[in-house]
Amino acid sequence: MARTKFVAGNWKMYTTSAAAKALAAGVREKLAGESQVTVALCPPFPWLTLVAETVKGSPIAVGAQDVFPEEQGAFTGEVNAEMLLDAGCRYVIVGHSERRTVIGENDDLINRKVRHALKAGLSVIFCIGETLAERDKNNTEAVLDNQLTWGLKGVPSDQVERLVVAYEPVWAIGTGRTATAAQAQQVHVFIRWRFSQLFSNAAGQALVIQYGGSVKPDNAAELMSQPDVDGALVGGASLKADSFVAIVKAANP
Ligand code: PEP
């Protein structure tokens, strides 16, 4: 089945307002005419509107890096899905390993975030991945199975099409170590199979599965040439317009 490749940039806690604007403008300018690949930029919360305005009128979408699963109320410091939509977001990243490990998010909170964001109308980039110790113990599939099962529990079937899964082996994020194309392909096949079991065969075939973990211009083409690697979630290399655009172009050789 032909799935549209999807490359998203996770800017994490980097950029100033000026740098965010320049980066979004640079990506927009260098990608002019590129329409075969879905592209999203995920800046820090304070720059969402600015980035949305900068890419307005282009096919580039905007995503947030987190969401809080409540409608409104006394939740100091938190931001809900309606606010993200209002700020111009189409996507939100949920379950990133940095939030799982540094902030301590568990599968239950992640599941509430996924359901809240989908219900509001956002598309969710749902991140899963194993640590090096888990891989070394041959537990990769069990860990991913758990993350998929609990993280996506209760997602209504009519919202599944707004889910994207990002396979991000924790040992490859920000480390310069990348899964080989064969390793990524093997895991993506497993994810698609498990997703099909959880939802339906059609949903599994349609699912866009990004690979994330030290994707760079020089490894992107090989990774994304694998039949089940449908794009990339890019951290470090998304902070420079040239390298991010090179990765987008590698998705569409
Ligand atoms: C990420 O933050 O999702 C990521 C994959 O980071 P990096 O590309 O820097 O490894």
Side-chain angles (χ1 to χ4, degrees):
M1 151 172 228
R3 292 175 291 268
T4 303
K5 292 265 198 302
F6 177 24
V7 178
N10 173 14
W11 296 1
K12 310 195 187 195
M13 201 173 71
Y14 292 106
T15 66
T16 58
S17 61
K21 188 171 181 183
L23 180 51
V27 170
R28 178 181 186 155
E29 189 191 311
K30 290 173 205 294
L31 276 182
E34 172 61 67
S35 59
Q36 315 272 18
V37 179
T38 307
V39 176
L41 305 178
C42 304
F45 282 140
W47 321 142
L48 284 171
T49 311
L50 175 69
V51 169
E53 276 164 10
T54 308
V55 299
K56 197 169 176 178
S58 80
I60 301 169
V62 177
Q65 300 173 21
D66 188 28
V67 66
F68 191 69
E70 291 289 344
E71 299 310 322
Q72 62 174 6
F75 301 105
T76 303
E78 298 298 342
V79 173
N80 69 25
E82 289 298 337
M83 293 170 179
L84 297 181
L85 286 162
D86 201 350
C89 290
R90 183 169 151 207
Y91 294 95
V92 63
I93 299 171
V94 176
H96 193 282
S97 69
E98 286 151 15
R99 295 204 63 85
R100 290 178 191 263
T101 56
V102 183
I103 317 287
E105 292 191 4
N106 61 21
D107 286 322
D108 178 56
L109 177 59
I110 290 166
N111 176 250
R112 286 170 53 216
K113 291 184 175 195
V114 168
R115 286 188 289 122
H116 167 80
L118 289 172
K119 186 174 170 213
L122 285 163
S123 294
V124 171
I125 301 174
F126 174 62
C127 301
I128 56 175
E130 82 286 2
T131 63
L132 191 55
E134 289 163 342
R135 174 166 279 264
D136 287 346
K137 282 193 216 132
N138 268 332
N139 278 343
T140 300
E141 291 189 356
V143 168
L144 300 177
D145 190 326
N146 231 19
Q147 290 172 340
L148 286 165
T149 305
W150 298 111
L152 301 181
K153 192 168 168 243
V155 168
S157 54
D158 63 341
Q159 294 173 12
V160 167
E161 63 189 30
R162 278 187 282 110
L163 273 173
V164 172
V165 171
Y167 168 55
E168 300 208 302
V170 178
W171 46 272
I173 299 178
T175 59
R177 245 185 102 171
T178 322
T180 63
Q183 281 173 324
Q185 168 63 15
Q186 189 182 15
V187 174
H188 284 219
V189 168
F190 172 77
I191 292 169
R192 197 176 301 291
W193 169 79
R194 182 65 187 128
F195 194 89
S196 303
Q197 272 196 333
L198 289 171
F199 298 103
S200 69
N201 195 40
Q205 287 311 307
L207 177 70
V208 167
I209 309 177
Q210 297 175 318
Y211 169 78
S214 299
V215 176
K216 302 274 179 304
D218 59 1
N219 59 23
E222 197 193 350
L223 284 160
M224 290 188 281
S225 68
Q226 301 300 306
D228 288 277
V229 179
D230 307 313
L233 181 55
V234 186
S238 71
L239 292 168
K240 293 241 162 18
D242 280 343
S243 50
F244 183 68
V245 167
I247 293 168
V248 173
K249 293 197 167 157
N252 184 28

